[in-house]
Amino acid sequence: MAEQLLDGAIHITEIRSLIGHKLGPTRPTVLDQERINLFAEATDDYQWIHTDPARAAETETGSTIAHGFLILALAATVNQELVLIEGTSSRVNYGLNKVRFISPAPAGTRARGFTTLKSVKSVPSGTQLVFDIEIRGDQIEKPLCVAEFISLAPGIHLEQEPTA
């Protein structure tokens, strides 16, 4: 399936029309050493492979690498940039499934995200949207991270999908 961008917002009542369409890429996010260090500070994760450029220079990647959870944290930004939804006052992160960190992201990597709406389901608290998220690094063959990302439009209840 070809990658694409939306030409604007989509109304929550039409959200099912996006199922199966891969959207992206996002604008690049540079995973430079400053960002990596700030993430280490915010999470108290000072593992040397992230924060010690001299020691990390001796590894296979030749540099420090971004934290996997830093890369995963971009998932919300991916959906905020690529899927603007009207007709709901908010959309909240609800959870994650099947998260995998496939490739390391050396410091300086430019990361871009893609999203594919997988399913839409009415639940007691609102409408649950499940997306397949992929974060890729420029010049890196395999994805940095893939995850099933669950978002909730609270208080919005769509009619159930017709069954065949």
Side-chain angles (χ1 to χ4, degrees):
M1 205 168 284
E3 297 156 4
Q4 62 184 11
L5 295 173
L6 286 179
D7 288 333
I10 188 164
H11 198 275
I12 188 70
T13 57
E14 299 172 359
I15 194 69
R16 285 188 177 99
S17 68
L18 287 183
I19 292 174
H21 293 277
K22 185 175 185 178
L23 302 175
T26 60
R27 292 181 298 267
T29 298
V30 179
L31 302 172
D32 59 14
Q33 192 61 52
E34 180 181 9
R35 184 180 294 255
I36 292 168
N37 290 345
L38 288 169
F39 189 84
E41 185 176 323
T43 60
D44 286 332
D45 181 354
Y46 294 100
Q47 169 74 16
W48 65 266
I49 194 63
H50 308 302
T51 60
D52 186 343
R55 188 171 175 194
E58 299 173 11
T59 66
E60 184 177 297
T61 58
S63 72
T64 57
I65 59 172
H67 302 73
F69 287 116
L70 168 55
I71 297 165
L72 179 61
L74 299 176
T77 302
V78 168
N79 273 355
Q80 289 168 8
E81 184 177 331
L82 297 176
V83 187
L84 180 60
I85 301 175
E86 295 178 335
T88 180
S89 62
S90 66
R91 188 169 52 168
V92 296
N93 300 339
Y94 192 73
L96 296 158
N97 295 323
K98 304 177 187 174
V99 176
R100 297 293 182 269
F101 303 110
I102 310 296
S103 297
T109 296
R110 292 167 42 100
R112 299 174 193 269
F114 299 85
T115 189
T116 304
L117 181 60
K118 188 174 177 177
S119 67
V120 175
K121 180 170 87 172
S122 187
V123 296
S125 55
T127 296
Q128 183 177 296
L129 309 168
V130 179
F131 296 89
D132 284 330
I133 300 284
E134 184 177 299
I135 310 293
R136 299 196 71 93
D138 289 356
Q139 312 303 316
I140 298 174
E141 183 179 338
K142 294 181 181 177
L144 305 175
C145 176
V146 295
E148 196 174 82
F149 179 82
I150 307 166
S151 183
L152 180 71
I156 301 294
H157 296 282
L158 301 178
E159 291 183 26
Q160 291 299 324
E161 180 81 2
T163 55

